[in-house]
Amino acid sequence: MTKTLAYAAPEAGRHLGKWSFERREPGPHDVQIDIKFCGVCHSDIHQVRDEWSKGIFPMVPGHEIVGIVSKVGSAVTKFKPGDFAGVGCLVDSCRTCPSCKSGLEQFCENGNSGTYNSYEQDKITPTYGGYSKMIVVHEDFTLRVLEKNNLAAVAPLLCAGITTYSPLRHWKVGKGHKLGVVGLGGLGHMAVKLGASFGAEVTMISTSPSKEADARKLGAQYFLNSKDAEQIKGAKRHFDFIIDTVSASHDYDMYLGMVKPDGVMICVGGPPEPISVKGFSLIGGRKSLAGSLIGGIAETQEMLDYCFDHQIVSDIELIPINYINEAYERMLKGDVKYRFVIDLATLS
Ligand code: NAP
Ligand code: ZN
Ligand code: ZN
């Protein structure tokens, strides 16, 4: 076992502070990674505050992990010490159910092992995430990172990147499609970059008019202020697809009104409260309201390689780890450009 320094929330809703715990020694198929950077996802806030379900505490959040391989088990073939590597939202799954067998480990029928606030496949050992100096992960759940010059900006691809890449690919969003992206935060800014890269005409739909210039720089051709009723009315039945990244309760009917007949509104945001939708928002136009959860391991690798080939990284604010509680407060106000990333060199 190796003592590992981390930042943890001691219980639900409490501030995060320094904590240490034991990581396992790498087994034959394990990769040990010295964590260099970890992105800060809004899911970290939801889970630290028990907004989704009762969490496992102390909780070390963080599932946008990049670092350098420091040790490998005797049977590891994909990695060697010194390689750059990444870990996303999953560290294991049953590997035998139909979902796992088709590369959809995020939907594992026997319960996957999330990177934190979860259990290893033994169902008793808690998992701890990337707000820590080091992690040990099975090589099958470790991702290859080719980008060497901008490692910190790669980290958010491991969740914000794959969570938007996967639905855009699943629904084959691209040339000839009008795509609306709701919410310009971590997920939203990746949806804009990826949607534009796939050839879609992207419109940013935001509650923050001050973000318009940035949205355009990220690749949006148009900008809609969702607080302006006239602008919303003008976009009636406009979009083939809307990807909704909003983290708090909001009016789904309003956004569905902007979807074309036969169009799809894809929810990736996870507001804690149940959503309410009028039946006529869907049936008046044969519209679909869909959801999507991160992506499988093979698709996460495909996304990382795509981003490397197309020189896509995240726009980040690099922070020391002792800024994390303030970073959470700023994210809750929609004040981040556009992902906080923790520099783990600041943890000692
Ligand atoms: P974030 O960086 O905090 O961005 C959320 C954005 O939503 C804000 O910047 C804001 O953008 C907008 N927003 C916030 N409150 C709003 C409201 N009441 N009405 C309308 N818009 C509002 O969060 P994130 O890290 O991108 O995560 C977004 C959500 O996705 C979270 O719920 C997270 O848990 C979830 N998530 C899901 C998955 C998945 O697999 N499905 C994966 C990761 C995260 P504007 O200022 O532009 O309005
Ligand atoms: Zn996340
Ligand atoms: Zn499974």
Side-chain angles (χ1 to χ4, degrees):
M1 302 290 263
T2 307
K3 195 166 177 162
T4 305
L5 201 53
Y7 250 53
E11 49 190 89
R14 292 270 303 278
H15 272 179
L16 280 76
K18 224 184 253 187
W19 185 59
S20 67
F21 65 100
E22 304 279 339
R23 294 270 194 208
R24 68 174 183 267
E25 284 304 313
H29 289 281
D30 283 338
V31 176
Q32 179 178 305
I33 302 164
D34 279 345
I35 301 175
K36 296 296 173 197
F37 303 102
C38 183
V40 180
C41 179
H42 207 113
S43 305
D44 301 348
I45 303 180
H46 290 310
Q47 291 179 84
V48 154
R49 299 186 170 200
D50 266 2
E51 288 177 353
W52 286 343
S53 58
K54 211 172 148 26
I56 302 161
F57 291 90
M59 189 187 295
V60 178
H63 56 207
E64 294 184 336
I65 299 168
V66 290
I68 297 176
V69 174
S70 50
K71 243 191 224 181
V72 296
S74 54
V76 168
T77 55
K78 271 171 58 188
F79 295 92
K80 58 181 188 323
D83 286 348
F84 287 108
V87 180
C89 304
L90 300 173
V91 290
D92 212 345
S93 71
C94 86
R95 298 149 187 257
T96 56
C97 74
S99 291
C100 285
K101 284 201 160 149
S102 50
L104 298 167
E105 298 88 352
Q106 72 272 36
F107 306 133
C108 174
E109 282 141 52
N110 298 306
N112 55 44
S113 300
T115 302
Y116 70 88
N117 191 25
S118 181
Y119 292 99
E120 297 286 356
Q121 285 299 295
D122 64 8
K123 311 289 181 196
I124 47 173
T125 311
T127 56
Y128 299 112
Y131 298 5
S132 62
K133 296 292 273 187
M134 184 267 274
I135 193 165
V136 178
V137 182
H138 193 288
E139 68 171 326
D140 292 350
F141 284 75
T142 306
L143 287 312
R144 190 175 58 242
V145 171
L146 297 172
E147 173 68 52
K148 293 186 173 44
N149 301 319
N150 206 354
L151 203 57
V154 170
L157 301 180
L158 275 307
C159 175
I162 184 62
T163 300
T164 47
Y165 181 94
S166 182
L168 292 173
R169 284 304 198 208
H170 178 77
W171 276 280
K172 301 186 170 55
V173 178
K175 228 177 162 59
H177 289 138
K178 290 183 164 65
L179 168 68
V181 176
V182 185
L184 186 46
L187 267 54
H189 96 290
M190 288 312 307
V192 171
K193 287 189 185 210
L194 291 166
S197 173
F198 296 167
E201 178 193 289
V202 181
T203 299
M204 185 68 229
I205 308 170
S206 170
T207 60
S208 311
S210 61
K211 294 180 182 173
E212 175 166 356
D214 283 352
R216 290 183 188 277
K217 266 189 242 152
L218 292 165
Q221 275 152 283
Y222 302 97
F223 186 90
L224 273 181
N225 175 356
S226 52
K227 287 183 170 159
D228 180 335
E230 281 308 304
Q231 289 191 30
I232 297 301
K233 222 163 100 193
K236 196 172 168 203
R237 295 190 165 204
H238 180 75
F239 297 105
D240 300 283
F241 299 95
I242 282 185
I243 182 159
D244 178 346
T245 75
V246 175
S247 52
S249 292
H250 57 290
D251 180 358
Y252 288 78
D253 296 306
M254 180 182 91
Y255 296 102
L256 278 165
M258 293 188 271
V259 174
K260 275 183 191 169
D262 283 326
V264 187
M265 173 158 153
I266 307 155
C267 298
V268 290
E273 302 78 21
I275 70 174
S276 113
V277 178
K278 287 186 186 137
F280 276 95
S281 298
L282 297 169
I283 62 185
R286 201 163 53 192
K287 300 177 189 181
S288 303
L289 182 63
S292 188
L293 177 72
I294 50 172
I297 296 300
E299 193 177 42
T300 305
Q301 189 63 63
E302 176 191 306
M303 175 277 309
L304 282 172
D305 295 347
Y306 178 90
C307 287
F308 177 70
D309 288 344
H310 294 80
Q311 288 298 291
I312 295 172
V313 290
S314 187
D315 285 25
I316 65 161
E317 290 189 41
L318 194 63
I319 57 167
I321 199 156
N322 63 10
Y323 187 75
I324 189 66
N325 296 302
E326 211 168 324
Y328 280 6
E329 292 306 323
R330 282 185 48 197
M331 277 171 79
L332 289 166
K333 291 186 253 166
D335 174 22
V336 51
K337 289 186 172 181
Y338 279 90
R339 194 57 135 188
F340 288 116
V341 172
I342 301 166
D343 180 355
L344 269 310
T346 61
L347 176 61
S348 57

